Amino acid sequence: MNRLRKHLLSVGLGICSLATATAQDASKLYSVDQYTGVANISIPITSYQLKNNELGVSLSYNTKGVPVREFAGITGSHWSLSVGGTVSRTVKGLPDEFYGEGPAYNDNYVVTAALISKHSKYKGRLVVSKENATERANPDFYRDPESDEYYVSAGTVQFSFQIGVDGGIFVSSKERYDVRFFIGDQPYTVPAPAAQNTIQDVHIQVRDKDNGMTYYFSPSGRDMRVIAPYFRSSYPFVHTQNCAYPDIISLLAEETPVVNTWKLDKIISAENEQVTYTYQTFHYPITEDLSWYQIVTEGSPAIDTFRTSTPSYVMRRFETVDLVSQIDFPYGKTIQLQYDTDNTRLEFQGISYNGGNPLLPKLNAILYKEADKTMKYTFDYSYFHTPSVQNAQLEVNTYQNDAPDYYSLKLKGINVVDMTTSSVNRLYSFGYNDKKQRRFGKGLDFYGYYNGGDNDLGKWGNSLPGFNARTTDLVSAQYGILNKITTATGSEAIFYYGLNDGLSEIFALKPAIGYWYGAGSVGDGLRLATVVLSDVNDPTLKKSVYYTYTGGQY
């Protein structure tokens, strides 16, 4: 019989007694990548074992660094919440499910008429796989020569797959998986003529043959893109800024939504045990700054007008985000995720959406329910705040009337709540380098990490080559990074960092124009230098772990 194993944040929490919690030592919460020196921190919250797969909710964090342009997720800056499952893909050429007409053209495009008329119809790899011999011989069709790349993630099931030209599925795992495509609950078929020249919403089923488990995925996240003909470069695939001008030489118009992520709806075992996932829809406003798009000519005396002017925010679009709100396990066990839909995050001040779904929230709590027992885990937050004229503080809880990009959600701790007595006990506390550059700020190295120090902190602008140095800076690169974890038992880990210098072989490949990468720097982010492990209750218990690197390897 399957049993729910609730281990709160790797703490071995003995849930038999809801009022008792003991935390494991902090050294068990992370592992170090021996090639990059990056610490991968994993904070499991709840877990359910269904045959060979471990399902549940967990948090993760990596210490590579916090890119300036990165937006904080629902559990805080640089933290990721892992729950449910997804199939994501990288589109290569045409989307695999595309079936449509060739591009339209007029007299203004006569120079390309020969190319345009070469193929009157286009087929993605999934459509091609359904062709019979007669259809395969038709020269009027352009057939995408490459499958998209799909990545499956559901608990401990992790693999990628591609579609063969004859419909076979090639997986990257030694495990035996059967992958099938559906339209709704019916096996995939080529669309009827009336439905051609559209992007169908296909569903995906993954069957684990060895363990008798079937995973059901439905469309979720979408990219906006131009579907381009075979002779066009990758440029049309970039979401263009001005939507008023249609791309005439395209297969579908600009702003065509193409599925890039499928969400996990349910898992069914051979014994008919089911795990089902319920979702809540939110909207994430995609905003950018016009200064990021400035084009300069090498050696040009052009004036950097962005140094002194104010930000030019552009609302590109609202992206739909599906977040798991409940998981139903066998035997009446459930997990509920509660989001803060009453308070707008400080990063979204002044932004509204009238489409019926709230903006991206923060996660307030996770409830585990089993029969008459309930465990509640809550999350404490504040906000990183880049010092401004209105307020020089590095951490705030309210808006300071400056600009939304000064703020970034900060996870400070995780608690367990005794639902009988309402007592709250802190399980984990997190410490950071509290300085953090505003998201539209200047001062980015070649990889997007901050390099401007206190001099550029809070200054708005671009980091384009020729105007700004791209040199990495150890002190600045640590702005916003996690540097301490303290557990409920007093176990503590403190992280000290160095710069990732990269492999020595790469240095010979650096371009001669120094401002493209920064003097003497090719390294990508941070790597661990030292980790100090201690017990706040016993000062005699202290251990330092030092990391030495050679040629970019640990």
Side-chain angles (χ1 to χ4, degrees), residues 264-524:
L264 179 61
D265 292 325
K266 61 183 176 181
I267 306 169
I268 302 179
S269 72
E271 295 77 23
N272 203 34
E273 295 177 302
Q274 293 193 28
V275 178
T276 60
Y277 295 84
T278 304
Y279 293 83
Q280 190 172 354
T281 300
F282 297 91
H283 279 95
Y284 168 50
I286 305 297
T287 58
E288 294 177 350
D289 175 4
L290 284 176
S291 74
W292 302 355
Y293 299 97
Q294 184 183 21
I295 299 175
V296 296
T297 302
E298 184 180 338
S300 169
I303 299 174
D304 179 9
T305 58
F306 300 104
R307 292 183 186 272
T308 56
S309 59
T310 56
S312 301
Y313 301 134
V314 177
M315 183 67 65
R316 300 294 295 274
R317 66 184 183 275
F318 283 93
E319 192 170 275
T320 299
V321 179
D322 294 319
L323 300 179
V324 175
S325 58
Q326 182 163 314
I327 312 173
D328 292 291
F329 296 102
Y331 317 113
K333 304 174 179 68
T334 65
I335 293 174
Q336 294 179 352
L337 291 88
Q338 298 180 341
Y339 302 100
D340 185 359
T341 58
D342 296 325
N343 302 289
T344 301
R345 288 174 50 168
L346 301 189
E347 300 101 321
F348 298 144
Q349 289 294 314
I351 298 174
S352 61
Y353 181 75
N354 297 320
N357 296 307
L359 296 177
L360 189 74
K362 60 178 182 285
L363 177 64
N364 272 352
I366 296 176
L367 277 73
Y368 167 73
K369 296 183 178 182
E370 178 181 359
D372 60 345
K373 299 178 181 178
T374 300
M375 288 293 290
K376 184 176 183 179
Y377 312 113
T378 61
F379 299 80
D380 284 347
Y381 301 98
S382 62
Y383 286 86
F384 289 99
H385 179 254
T386 306
S388 63
V389 174
Q390 289 81 359
N391 194 319
Q393 293 182 6
L394 297 174
E395 181 178 313
V396 297
N397 290 300
T398 58
Y399 194 65
Q400 305 299 312
N401 297 314
D402 31 33
D405 71 305
Y406 278 86
Y407 303 85
S408 188
L409 188 65
K410 177 195 286 189
L411 177 62
K412 300 190 68 175
I414 304 174
N415 311 307
V416 60
V417 180
D418 187 323
M419 301 300 289
T420 302
T421 65
S422 298
S423 62
V424 179
N425 297 298
R426 177 60 64 99
L427 290 169
Y428 286 93
S429 296
F430 305 107
Y432 304 84
N433 183 318
D434 289 327
K435 293 183 178 179
K436 194 174 187 303
Q437 174 64 315
R438 61 188 299 188
R439 194 159 63 95
F440 291 158
K442 64 188 301 182
L444 278 68
D445 68 13
F446 183 76
Y447 290 97
Y449 301 106
Y450 186 53
N451 71 352
D454 289 347
N455 183 58
D456 286 339
L457 192 62
K459 293 182 180 178
W460 170 81
N462 67 76
S463 290
L464 295 171
F467 287 149
N468 300 278
R470 310 302 293 277
T471 308
T472 56
D473 177 73
L474 174 59
V475 174
S476 303
Q478 296 180 66
Y479 282 19
I481 195 71
L482 178 75
N483 56 26
K484 184 167 66 173
I485 301 175
T486 305
T487 74
T489 61
S491 177
E492 189 169 83
I494 300 177
F495 303 99
Y496 297 90
Y497 299 97
L499 282 176
N500 188 346
D501 294 330
L503 294 172
S504 58
E505 288 81 359
I506 294 179
F507 282 91
L509 304 178
K510 293 190 300 185
I513 306 173
Y515 60 69
W516 279 98
Y517 59 87
S521 173
V522 179
D524 181 5

Side-chain angles (χ1 to χ4, degrees), residues 69 92 109 152 181 230 243 278 328 382 403 489 547:
R69 304 290 189 241
K92 297 182 176 181
Y109 291 87
V152 179
F181 291 85
Y230 73 99
C243 304
T278 304
D328 292 291
S382 62
T489 61
Y547 297 86

Side-chain angles (χ1 to χ4, degrees), residues 135-206:
E135 292 169 332
R136 186 67 57 89
N138 189 338
D140 293 334
F141 283 91
Y142 173 82
R143 296 168 179 85
D144 192 355
E146 188 173 12
S147 168
D148 298 340
E149 185 81 19
Y150 299 82
Y151 309 90
V152 179
S153 175
T156 54
V157 171
Q158 310 275 334
F159 69 95
S160 62
F161 70 87
Q162 292 181 314
I163 305 172
V165 68
D166 293 320
I169 302 295
F170 300 90
V171 303
S172 63
S173 171
K174 65 180 180 180
E175 305 292 337
R176 297 191 306 154
Y177 294 108
D178 180 21
V179 179
R180 298 183 182 183
F181 291 85
F182 288 75
I183 301 295
D185 59 357
Q186 298 299 312
Y188 173 80
T189 57
V190 175
Q196 293 173 8
N197 225 40
T198 61
I199 299 293
Q200 290 182 291
D201 274 355
V202 297
H203 295 233
I204 298 175
Q205 288 185 16
V206 175

Side-chain angles (χ1 to χ4, degrees), residues 104 109 226 228-229 232 235-236 240 245-254:
Y109 291 87
V226 173
R232 292 292 291 269
Y235 175 77
T240 56
Y245 298 97
D247 187 337
I248 296 177
I249 310 182
S250 64
L251 304 182
L252 285 181
E254 294 193 51

